[in-house]
C-alpha cells in the first residue's frame, strides 16, 4: 500500500464505517436514516459489507446493552485490529503518540480505564451536579437576558445553546472562558468528517499544548476547580491530566450544545409538544430523556471490537471483528418504546442508550441533564412564542460532523 493509500485509509478512522443509506438522515431531520429504519425491521444484529470491510451492526435495544456491557468488547479504537490494518506503524505513531493517548480513557479497557474512571467518578456525582443547578440557572438566565435584550432574530446556537454548556464546563474545569473561541474552533475541526489526518494531527497537538499550559498553571496556582483537584490529589502525569481535561472539555460542551439546539428545533417543529412543556414545566426531566432518545445525536454509532469470540443475541461475533451499535436505531426499537418515531415530552422515562451503557457510560451525563432541564424550562418560559425565523428546510444541519445537530438555528419571538 502506498503512502497516499495509507493516508486515505487512516482518514477512515474518523469517518463512518457504514454505507450512506444507513447514516444520512432523510427528509425529516430528526429521524434515523431511512435505510436504517428499514434494516431494523429485519432483525436486531446485521452483517454489513462496506468498502471491502465487514462489520456487525446492532439495532436492537437489548443486544446493544449486551455489547456495551460485555468486557470482551473493546473500546480501544486507537490500537484496534482495524486501526493496525488501515495504518502503517509509522503513521500510527505519528497520529497517536504516547503523549496523545495518555488520559484518553474513553478509548481504554479495564484495568486502565478503571483507574482513570475511579479518579473522576467522585467529581461527577448526582449530588454535586444538582448542587450546580443554581449556577447553571444563573448562566442560562444571563444568556437569555442578553438574547432578549438584543432582540430577534437570533441564532440560538451562537446566543444560547453553545455558550451555556461552554460556560459551565469552563467553570467546572477552571478554564478561562475567554479561551472558548480557541478550543471551540479546534474541537469543531476534530469532529468534522472533512478534516484530514494531517489536520487532525495538527489540531490535536495544538489542543494538547493548550491544556498542558493550563495544567502547569494549576500546578503553580491551584484553585477549587476540578482540574486543580486532580493536580493536587492524584499522581497523574502532565500528559494524563491534559488528556483528561481535553476529553472533558470537548465532551462537556459539544454534545450538550447540540442537544439544546437540535432539541429546540424538534420542539418548534412539534408545537403541541412545545406547548405541553410550556404549560407543564414539571415535565422537563421527562422531556429531556425523550429528546435524548428521539434525536440520538451520536448518529454514527458506537464502535467496539471483539477481543475474543462472543455470542450476542444468538450471533457469534469472532475475535477482532468490529461491532457498531447504531444509537439512533436502538433508541427507536419498537420492542422497547411504543410508537418510537413519535416525540412525546410526557413519555415515561425509559432506558435509552444516548449516554451509552456499561463502564463507558457518559461520565458527565448528570451535568448534561441539569443543563438541559434548566435550559429547556427557561427557554419555553421566557420565550413562549419562540418560532423559527427561516423555513425548516433552510436550517443548516451538521451532517458533516461526527456529532449530529445544527450549525445554526435562526429564531424569532
Amino acid at each position: 500500500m502506498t503512502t497516499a493509500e495509507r493516508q486515505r485509509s487512516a482518514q477512515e478512522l474518523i469517518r463512518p464505517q457504514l454505507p450512506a443509506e444507513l447514516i444520512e438522515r432523510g427528509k425529516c431531520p430528526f429521524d434515523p436514516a431511512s435505510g436504517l429504519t428499514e434494516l431494523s425491521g429485519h432483525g436486531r444484529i446485521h452483517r454489513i459489507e462496506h468498502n471491502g470491510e465487514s462489520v456487525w451492526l446492532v439495532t436492537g435495544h437489548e443486544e446493544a446493552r449486551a455489547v456495551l456491557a460485555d468486557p470482551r468488547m473493546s473500546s480501544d479504537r486507537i490500537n484496534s485490529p482495524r486501526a493496525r490494518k488501515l495504518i502503517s506503524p509509522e503513521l500510527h505513531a505519528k497520529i497517536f503518540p504516547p503523549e496523545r493517548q495518555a488520559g484518553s480513557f474513553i478509548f481504554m479497557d479495564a484495568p486502565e480505564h478503571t483507574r482513570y474512571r475511579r479518579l473522576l467518578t467522585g467529581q461527577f456525582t448526582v449530588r454535586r451536579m444538582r448542587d450546580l443547578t443554581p449556577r447553571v440557572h444563573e448562566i442560562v438566565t444571563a444568556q437569555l437576558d442578553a438574547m432578549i435584550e438584543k432582540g430577534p432574530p437570533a441564532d440560538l446556537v451562537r446566543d444560547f445553546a453553545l455558550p451555556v454548556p461552554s460556560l459551565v464546563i469552563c467553570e467546572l474545569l477552571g478554564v478561562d472562558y475567554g479561551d472558548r473561541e480557541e478550543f471551540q474552533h479546534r474541537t469543531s475541526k476534530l469532529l468534522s468528517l472533512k478534516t484530514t489526518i494531517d489536520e487532525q494531527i495538527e489540531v490535536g497537538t495544538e489542543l494538547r499544548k493548550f491544556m498542558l499550559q493550563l495544567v502547569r498553571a494549576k500546578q503553580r496556582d491551584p484553585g477549587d476547580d476540578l482540574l486543580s483537584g486532580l493536580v493536587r490529589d492524584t499522581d497523574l502525569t502532565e500528559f494524563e491530566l491534559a488528556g483528561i481535561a481535553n476529553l472533558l472539555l470537548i465532551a462537556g460542551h459539544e454534545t450538550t450544545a447540540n442537544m439544546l439546539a437540535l432539541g429546540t428545533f424538534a420542539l418548534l417543529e412539534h408545537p403541541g409538544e412545545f406547548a405541553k412543556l410550556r404549560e407543564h414545566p414539571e415535565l422537563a426531566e421527562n422531556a429531556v430523556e425523550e429528546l435524548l432518545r428521539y434525536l440520538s445525536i451520536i448518529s454514527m454509532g458506537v464502535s467496539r471490537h471483539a477481543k475474543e469470540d462472543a455470542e450476542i443475541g444468538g450471533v457469534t461475533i469472532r475475535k477482532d471483528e468490529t461491532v457498531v451499535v447504531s444509537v439512533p436505531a436502538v433508541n427507536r426499537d419498537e420492542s422497547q418504546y411504543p410508537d418510537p418515531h413519535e416525540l412525546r415530552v410526557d413519555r415515561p422515562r425509559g432506558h435509552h442508550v444516548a449516554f451509552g451503557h456499561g463502564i463507558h457510560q457518559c461520565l458527565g451525563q448528570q451535568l448534561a441533564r441539569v443543563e438541559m432541564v434548566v435550559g429547556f424550562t427557561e427557554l419555553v418560559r421566557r420565550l413562549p412564542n419562540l418560532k423559527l425565523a427561516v423555513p425548516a428546510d433552510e436550517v443548516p444541519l451538521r451532517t458533516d460532523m461526527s456529532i449530529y445537530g445544527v450549525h445554526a438555528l435562526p429564531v424569532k419571538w
Side-chain angles (χ1 to χ4, degrees):
M1 184 181 289
T2 66
T3 301
E5 287 172 333
R6 288 194 180 280
Q7 184 79 342
R8 286 194 297 271
S9 295
Q11 291 177 29
E12 290 300 314
L13 285 179
I14 59 171
R15 283 168 168 73
Q17 301 175 46
L18 301 171
E21 63 268 20
L22 298 181
I23 295 175
E24 294 177 359
R25 308 251 175 169
K27 186 176 180 180
C28 176
F30 315 120
D31 288 343
S34 57
L36 186 60
T37 301
E38 181 181 351
L39 185 68
S40 298
H42 297 288
R44 308 175 71 77
I45 302 182
H46 316 266
R47 192 70 178 251
I48 306 295
E49 304 288 337
H50 179 57
N51 287 345
E53 287 192 87
S54 178
V55 302
W56 290 101
L57 180 66
V58 180
T59 58
H61 184 271
E62 291 304 317
E63 292 77 8
R65 287 166 65 91
V67 166
L68 296 175
D70 196 321
R72 296 170 296 181
M73 296 293 160
S74 175
S75 299
D76 188 357
R77 185 181 69 178
I78 295 173
N79 298 296
S80 68
R82 182 172 185 265
R84 296 297 184 185
K85 175 184 176 182
L86 289 174
I87 307 176
S88 68
E90 296 78 17
L91 187 55
H92 190 281
K94 186 178 179 182
I95 301 170
F96 304 117
E99 60 269 24
R100 185 175 180 184
Q101 296 186 52
S104 298
F105 61 93
I106 63 170
F107 300 128
M108 296 178 182
D109 302 323
E112 292 84 1
H113 171 271
T114 309
R115 180 171 73 92
Y116 289 114
R117 184 88 180 197
R118 186 176 293 123
L119 291 173
L120 289 163
T121 299
Q123 305 288 343
F124 286 91
T125 62
V126 174
R127 180 176 180 178
R128 181 173 184 178
M129 295 306 105
R130 286 179 176 168
D131 288 344
L132 284 173
T133 300
R135 180 57 186 142
V136 172
H137 195 281
E138 289 175 1
I139 289 171
V140 166
T141 298
Q143 291 304 133
L144 286 173
D145 285 345
M147 192 170 79
I148 291 169
E149 183 178 355
K150 184 179 176 183
D155 175 5
L156 195 82
V157 173
R158 179 196 62 213
D159 298 330
F160 181 72
L162 185 55
V164 166
S166 295
L167 277 162
V168 172
I169 197 63
C170 281
E171 286 197 15
L172 188 64
L173 284 175
V175 177
D176 186 344
Y177 187 62
D179 293 326
R180 68 191 182 282
E181 290 187 7
E182 181 178 356
F183 70 71
Q184 285 171 357
H185 170 72
R186 289 173 180 166
T187 297
S188 181
K189 289 285 287 183
L190 280 178
L191 297 176
S192 172
L193 298 178
K194 297 178 180 179
T195 302
T196 67
I197 284 296
D198 286 339
E199 290 171 330
Q200 284 263 324
I201 294 170
E202 180 183 357
V203 173
T205 300
E206 290 171 349
L207 274 172
R208 191 163 58 250
K209 287 179 179 177
F210 171 79
M211 274 302 172
L212 279 172
Q213 291 175 350
L214 181 62
V215 166
R216 288 162 184 164
K218 300 297 181 185
Q219 290 172 332
R220 293 191 300 269
D221 184 22
D224 59 358
D225 52 84
L226 188 153
L227 186 53
S228 292
L230 290 175
V231 167
R232 183 176 53 246
D233 301 332
T234 71
D235 59 356
L236 295 171
T237 68
E238 289 184 345
F239 285 118
E240 287 177 309
L241 289 164
I244 289 171
N246 263 328
L247 282 177
L248 296 179
L249 185 64
I250 292 170
H253 78 273
E254 271 289 336
T255 50
T256 306
N258 281 288
M259 273 303 306
L260 284 169
L262 188 63
T264 300
F265 185 18
L267 289 170
L268 293 177
E269 286 297 283
H270 295 79
E273 300 307 298
F274 184 97
K276 199 180 297 182
L277 182 57
R278 181 185 61 217
E279 294 161 11
H280 301 280
E282 69 275 9
L283 290 175
E285 290 187 4
N286 281 71
V288 164
E289 300 304 319
E290 173 68 349
L291 287 167
L292 285 163
R293 179 201 71 82
Y294 182 72
L295 298 173
S296 299
I297 62 173
I298 310 299
S299 57
M300 301 300 178
V302 179
S303 296
R304 296 285 188 266
H305 71 266
K307 294 190 287 187
E308 58 184 89
D309 291 359
E311 184 174 319
I312 303 289
V315 170
T316 299
I317 298 169
R318 300 298 181 186
K319 180 182 178 181
D320 293 343
E321 288 187 327
T322 298
V323 185
V324 178
V325 173
S326 175
V327 177
V330 170
N331 281 341
R332 299 284 185 101
D333 187 341
E334 293 184 354
S335 69
Q336 185 72 19
Y337 308 101
D339 302 315
H341 300 294
E342 293 186 15
L343 175 65
R344 298 177 181 171
V345 297
D346 56 354
R347 186 189 296 270
R349 294 178 65 166
H351 298 289
H352 60 71
V353 295
F355 287 123
H357 181 65
I359 65 170
H360 284 281
Q361 192 169 166
C362 176
L363 186 65
Q365 62 181 287
Q366 301 305 336
L367 176 60
R369 284 186 168 102
V370 168
E371 293 174 280
M372 285 186 280
V373 167
V374 175
F376 287 124
T377 299
E378 289 304 301
L379 188 67
V380 300
R381 184 181 73 83
R382 299 283 301 279
L383 297 171
N385 299 314
L386 190 69
K387 60 189 70 175
L388 290 178
V390 297
D393 59 6
E394 293 183 14
V395 174
L397 304 174
R398 285 170 52 107
T399 53
D400 57 337
M401 309 293 283
S402 59
I403 297 177
Y404 185 63
V406 295
H407 283 295
L409 189 67
V411 293
K412 59 185 179 180
W413 55 90

